[in-house]
Amino acid sequence: MGKIRQLQKNEQVPMELLLLADPDEVIIHSYLLRGLCYILELDGAIVGAYVLLPTRPLTIELVNVAVTESMQGRGLGKRLVLDAIEVSRKLGYQTLEVGTGNSSIGQIGLYQKCGFRITGVDRDFFTRHYAEPIYENGIQCRDMIRMQQDLG
């Protein structure tokens, strides 16, 4: 079901899609400059994307996973996360990290199903770094839940 590939330098970034996972275009641009963007194409349309950002030697972070709203609930997010794990492993990284909001209940479950373990909480991350409050599932997104996976 579709093909996942790295976005080429001459291709337009699927900003509207990435904004579904991160509401701040400035922050997205900042990590795209240093990161690797992968897209999921289905029938010629980009329906999913993720971004990997090298952070420390042998460690890379999954900083954005997004699926077009009309395609959500079909397992595409899980497919993107599993692809990110495999790509990170092939690139020689030993640890893959991810952070998600305390209000992102579905994402927290997805990452655990894909083998991530909770390693900590960055309290008030979203209230410090985003000008506008973020709400999901009727909960204000304040804290970042940090998770990681050993790729060894």
Side-chain angles (χ1 to χ4, degrees):
M1 181 154 157
K3 175 185 170 194
I4 300 174
R5 66 173 178 83
Q6 188 171 354
L7 188 72
Q8 300 303 305
K9 298 242 184 264
N10 62 341
E11 291 181 292
Q12 187 171 343
V13 171
M15 186 57 68
E16 291 301 315
L17 186 58
L18 296 174
L19 284 166
L20 292 174
D22 187 332
D24 192 316
E25 197 166 328
V26 173
I27 291 174
I28 293 171
H29 278 295
S30 75
Y31 57 66
L32 282 173
L33 289 173
R34 305 179 326 268
L36 307 167
C37 183
Y38 291 82
I39 56 171
L40 170 57
E41 292 176 308
L42 190 60
D43 298 325
I46 297 173
V47 297
Y50 69 84
V51 179
L52 291 171
L53 180 64
T55 55
R56 294 185 303 282
L58 304 178
T59 300
I60 195 163
E61 183 173 357
L62 180 56
V63 292
N64 189 311
V65 178
V67 174
T68 303
E69 288 177 292
S70 64
M71 298 296 288
Q72 291 176 4
R74 300 179 187 198
L76 299 178
K78 183 174 185 179
R79 188 159 164 228
L80 289 166
V81 172
L82 292 174
D83 190 75
I85 292 166
E86 195 53 39
V87 166
S88 299
R89 191 175 280 126
K90 285 180 182 172
L91 291 173
Y93 289 94
Q94 292 180 358
T95 304
L96 177 59
E97 298 179 329
V98 69
T100 194
N102 61 282
S103 56
S104 302
I105 296 164
Q107 290 88 329
I108 292 169
L110 169 64
Y111 293 132
Q112 289 182 90
K113 288 177 187 174
C114 291
F116 287 86
R117 304 275 312 272
I118 295 172
T119 56
V121 177
D122 187 346
R123 290 177 58 85
D124 297 316
F125 177 89
F126 292 97
T127 52
R128 284 193 321 265
H129 292 92
Y130 291 82
E132 297 293 320
I134 302 167
Y135 287 88
E136 292 176 288
N137 303 304
I139 303 166
Q140 184 174 359
C141 183
R142 290 189 169 104
D143 306 321
M144 177 166 310
I145 308 300
R146 301 293 310 164
M147 304 174 91
Q148 73 178 36
Q149 182 172 151
D150 180 3
L151 300 173

